[in-house]
Amino acid sequence: MTEALGRVLPGLRHRRRIRNALLHLVLLTASVAFTFPFLWMLFTALKTPAELLQGTAAFFPSVPQWSNFVTAVTVIPFFMYLMNSLIVVVLVMLGTLFSATTAAYAFARLEWRGRDVWFVVMLATLMIPIQVILIPTYILYAHIGWLGTRLPLIVPAFFGGGAAFYIFMLRQFFKGIPKELSESAIIDGANHFQIFGRIMLPLSKPALITVMLFTFMGAWNDFFGPLIFLSNPDHWTLALGLRAFQLQFGGRFDLMMAAAILMVIPTLLIFFFAQKSFIEGITFTGIKG
Amino acid sequence: MKKRAQTLSRMKRQENLIGYLFASPWITGLILLGAFPFLASFYISFTNYNMLSFPRFIGLTNYRILLSSDTIFWRSLGNTFYHVSIAIPLGIVLGVGLALLLNNKVYGMSVYRTMFYLPNVVSIVAMALMWLWLFQPSFGLINEVLSPVYRLLDIEPLRWHQDARLAKFSLILMGLWAVGGPMVIYLAQMQDIPNALYESAEIDGASWVRKTVSITLPLMTPSIFFNFIMGLIGGFQVFTIAYIMTSGGPGRATYYYAYYLFDTMISDQNMGMASAMAWILLVLVLIVTMIALRLNRYVVYLGEES
């Protein structure tokens, strides 16, 4: 019996090793397909226009043209776009944190009439294509003189605009915090505002960070909102700036890739440093949603 | 006793008030920036309104024009259906496939996962510009890599997004680059499956294929369904990639529904017509979702009880 096992096991181990090697081969190939475009972007950004026309014959830039990055930020008002992006992003983050945490607390910890109906309504808003509400809001903003300002991108965030996912996520997180904590605080004479501010929020840091990361990515990368509402070039964000760059220098892929890299770097860095929060957030919305 | 009941009901009333207070920013937004525009766009869809004069009620005219005599409407709708019906199944197959590979307790799983997810954090404008360069027919990377194949088959290099027959598919191909997003969800759900199930299957001598088909895939149907619905809602609104890469061309080949809606709204300022298009879109999304929910009952595994 043991003898037979001894003959079978090395064979099994051998087969497993081959299988593992094949698996890694497939996964490595896929990894290259997913990540090589980033490298190619960088190579392109460092090439001369002449090298661009040689395709892979000039695979690496012979002399890295770091000046392409300088050109990219000077031919367009890059830093103005960057400032504009930051203004919108920071305010949207603040607004979303405010409106999402308050609503989530109401849904998770308070009894109020109609709560469950409102909750279903909130989930239903996830299904509605934005175009349906976009047109009247556009008309509304035109009438109150907000078109051409940043307000249509920022103000809705303070009123839960686009926050349904985050409200849901935070509600689940709040529900996971032991009720005894807030009950003993109530006995000690704390009101709901104190419980919210001194117990729930400090204990929810991981969830708050996830919400901030996702709002950052969303607002930083948003193209459609700025395209509709930011008619004044002085308010353009990086996403619109990059589009303007394309319209102006469409053939210069070296410069275009340099500008694109500058816009992508912050999101890549944030993702690398906060991977865990990211992956948890994504899987949360996907599985428990 | 009576006094206690009174305090209790007072506390209840108070909590009711506080509940509404906490929810009020969101509820205000929902009413002013959600419900009101929602109803308003329904009304506007029955009017002729160009933002300069007062909206004029014209009944079903907008809908009639769109459905009966607007060839661009049907063309853009067809393009969108093409996009959705190919991009979603391909995305699911690829996403689930990659997740299955990563679910094998492979060494370095989280590194692979990170690399697959990476494209998802890239701005869609930057991504579109990058693919414009990769697809570039004369010296773009993709055709350079494929050039031996072209020579072997003795065919002209493909012109990808510049070829009317291939443009939609090129954009779908590019969208698959972001398949790591759904994949992360699939993988998480796979890892939630109790090991005991696999162990007892192994005792019965089940192979990897058998375990995948009989255990993994059925238990993953909820996340597949979630991504399917999200893919539908997003897919019907595809706009930016076409706007940046092809301007809807060549020859309207990538002129999607949301693109036509955008032009009707922003360029033509024809708010009545654009609202009618938005409502047709909403109804379409709802119908398709309903059908999916119906099928869901037969396909999605919801645990022993249900």
Side-chain angles (χ1 to χ4, degrees):
Chain A
M1 180 68 193
T2 34
E3 217 173 282
L5 257 181
R7 269 204 306 273
V8 173
L9 275 179
L12 266 179
R13 211 173 297 147
H14 191 64
R15 254 179 45 202
R16 183 164 301 161
R17 209 170 289 156
I18 292 180
R19 222 192 75 172
N20 258 335
L22 275 176
L23 193 62
H24 277 285
L25 194 71
V26 176
L27 287 173
L28 276 173
T29 316
S31 309
V32 170
F34 280 105
T35 50
F36 190 76
F38 288 104
L39 277 183
W40 193 242
M41 226 171 150
L42 181 65
F43 292 169
T44 306
L46 294 174
K47 284 178 185 175
T48 62
E51 280 174 314
L52 288 186
L53 302 180
Q54 295 171 30
T56 45
F59 194 83
F60 297 104
S62 53
V63 181
Q65 305 290 311
W66 294 104
S67 59
N68 280 345
F69 284 94
V70 181
T71 315
V73 299
T74 40
V75 293
I76 53 165
F78 183 87
F79 294 101
M80 185 183 84
Y81 296 149
L82 178 67
M83 262 324 277
N84 290 335
S85 277
L86 287 176
I87 291 172
V88 173
V89 166
V90 169
L91 290 172
V92 166
M93 273 164 77
L94 277 178
T96 307
L97 273 183
F98 165 72
S99 62
T101 51
T102 47
Y105 185 72
F107 281 125
R109 280 302 168 83
L110 295 165
E111 297 278 345
W112 39 290
R113 231 169 290 135
R115 183 186 70 177
D116 299 339
V117 177
W118 285 110
F119 191 68
V120 172
V121 170
M122 184 192 75
L123 294 181
T125 59
L126 288 171
M127 304 273 301
I128 295 170
I130 37 161
Q131 286 86 350
V132 177
I133 56 169
L134 182 68
I135 295 159
T137 37
Y138 180 85
I139 296 167
L140 175 76
Y141 294 145
H143 278 294
I144 57 178
W146 282 13
L147 276 194
T149 74
R150 299 184 183 97
L151 294 172
L153 298 179
I154 295 165
V155 174
F158 284 86
F159 295 95
F165 254 141
Y166 309 132
I167 295 174
F168 180 70
M169 186 153 88
L170 287 168
R171 167 188 178 262
Q172 299 303 96
F173 200 91
F174 287 166
K175 273 177 164 268
I177 293 174
K179 256 201 154 143
E180 292 77 30
L181 282 176
S182 40
E183 273 160 8
S184 59
I186 287 183
I187 292 169
D188 290 343
N191 59 38
H192 278 290
F193 299 98
Q194 288 165 326
I195 295 171
F196 174 70
R198 303 228 180 112
I199 299 178
M200 301 305 267
L201 291 186
L203 286 177
S204 310
K205 264 186 208 136
L208 297 180
I209 289 172
T210 306
V211 171
M212 282 173 70
L213 289 171
F214 278 102
T215 18
F216 176 88
M217 293 288 180
W220 179 267
N221 290 337
D222 184 22
F223 177 71
F224 194 65
L227 178 69
I228 300 273
F229 293 120
L230 296 182
S231 45
N232 181 352
D234 287 344
H235 293 156
W236 281 0
T237 56
L238 277 175
L240 287 184
L242 207 54
R243 164 66 174 169
F245 201 107
Q246 181 204 5
L247 293 179
Q248 218 175 333
F249 302 95
R252 290 295 299 273
F253 278 101
D254 48 342
L255 299 181
M256 234 156 39
M257 291 301 107
I261 286 174
L262 292 176
M263 183 182 172
V264 169
I265 278 179
T267 57
L268 288 182
L269 283 180
I270 288 176
F271 176 65
F272 272 119
F273 286 113
Q275 260 187 71
K276 222 178 133 248
S277 308
F278 254 96
I279 303 282
E280 273 165 14
I282 303 151
T283 51
F284 180 88
T285 48
I287 292 185
K288 304 194 175 69
Chain B
M1 201 62 205
K2 203 179 163 197
K3 207 170 171 193
R4 215 178 127 202
Q6 261 176 358
T7 15
L8 260 180
S9 81
R10 212 193 64 210
M11 271 178 73
K12 243 194 180 145
R13 232 177 312 136
Q14 213 179 11
E15 190 167 335
N16 192 28
L17 209 69
I18 293 173
Y20 268 98
L21 195 63
F22 267 96
S24 61
W26 172 72
I27 289 181
T28 313
L30 186 77
I31 292 169
L32 285 181
L33 303 171
F36 163 70
F38 185 75
L39 297 175
S41 82
F42 189 60
Y43 174 74
I44 295 169
S45 75
F46 298 107
T47 66
N48 184 0
Y49 183 41
N50 60 6
M51 307 264 297
L52 299 174
S53 54
F54 225 65
R56 192 162 49 85
F57 190 83
I58 52 171
L60 287 167
T61 311
N62 288 329
Y63 291 93
R64 203 169 48 233
I65 292 173
L66 284 173
L67 296 172
S68 67
S69 55
D70 189 340
T71 49
I72 301 173
F73 169 85
W74 288 106
R75 180 84 199 268
S76 66
L77 193 60
N79 286 340
T80 306
F81 267 101
Y82 179 101
H83 178 85
V84 168
S85 57
I86 294 184
I88 294 180
L90 266 184
I92 290 178
V93 169
L94 199 64
V96 173
L98 282 175
L100 279 173
L101 289 180
L102 281 188
N103 195 35
N104 276 317
K105 299 196 186 83
V106 278
Y107 181 76
M109 185 277 267
S110 64
V111 179
Y112 285 123
R113 189 177 58 183
T114 302
M115 288 201 272
F116 294 168
Y117 186 76
L118 217 51
N120 283 274
V121 302
V122 175
S123 138
I124 192 159
V125 182
M127 176 172 155
L129 292 183
M130 192 194 83
W131 279 86
L132 215 47
W133 177 227
L134 293 176
F135 277 139
Q136 213 285 339
S138 326
F139 26 79
L141 183 64
I142 294 177
N143 271 359
E144 289 275 315
V145 171
L146 289 178
S147 67
V149 182
Y150 295 141
R151 240 174 289 135
L152 193 74
L153 299 174
D154 198 24
I155 50 170
E156 286 286 301
L158 298 175
R159 299 191 62 78
W160 301 108
H161 63 289
Q162 298 182 5
D163 181 336
R165 288 160 305 168
L166 209 57
K168 279 191 279 288
F169 188 72
S170 303
L171 297 194
I172 291 171
L173 213 58
M174 160 186 156
L176 289 179
W177 194 47
V179 83
M183 186 214 70
V184 168
I185 298 174
Y186 299 136
L187 184 60
Q189 182 141 48
M190 282 180 192
Q191 296 185 328
D192 268 2
I193 299 174
N195 233 337
L197 289 176
Y198 293 110
E199 279 160 10
S200 58
E202 270 159 32
I203 291 170
D204 294 340
S207 64
W208 180 82
V209 175
R210 190 63 213 266
K211 281 186 284 182
T212 302
V213 172
S214 306
I215 301 173
T216 316
L217 290 181
L219 286 173
M220 278 184 55
T221 41
S223 64
I224 294 178
F225 185 68
F226 170 82
N227 279 312
F228 176 74
I229 298 287
M230 287 297 138
L232 269 181
I233 297 170
F236 273 111
Q237 299 178 58
V238 58
F239 166 77
T240 306
I241 48 171
Y243 185 75
I244 303 269
M245 292 183 67
T246 57
S247 308
R252 293 205 195 281
T254 55
Y255 200 56
Y256 298 115
Y257 194 82
Y259 204 149
Y260 188 31
L261 205 164
F262 171 84
D263 278 346
T264 310
M265 175 188 166
I266 299 293
S267 314
D268 306 348
Q269 300 264 305
N270 192 343
M271 297 303 173
M273 192 69 88
S275 296
M277 292 181 69
W279 271 83
I280 293 172
L281 178 67
L282 176 69
V283 170
L284 278 174
V285 169
L286 286 183
I287 290 175
V288 178
T289 315
M290 291 293 203
I291 295 171
L293 280 171
R294 269 289 151 79
L295 292 175
N296 167 31
R297 259 183 241 163
Y298 305 104
V299 182
V300 175
Y301 180 83
L302 294 166
E304 291 297 325
E305 296 302 311
S306 41

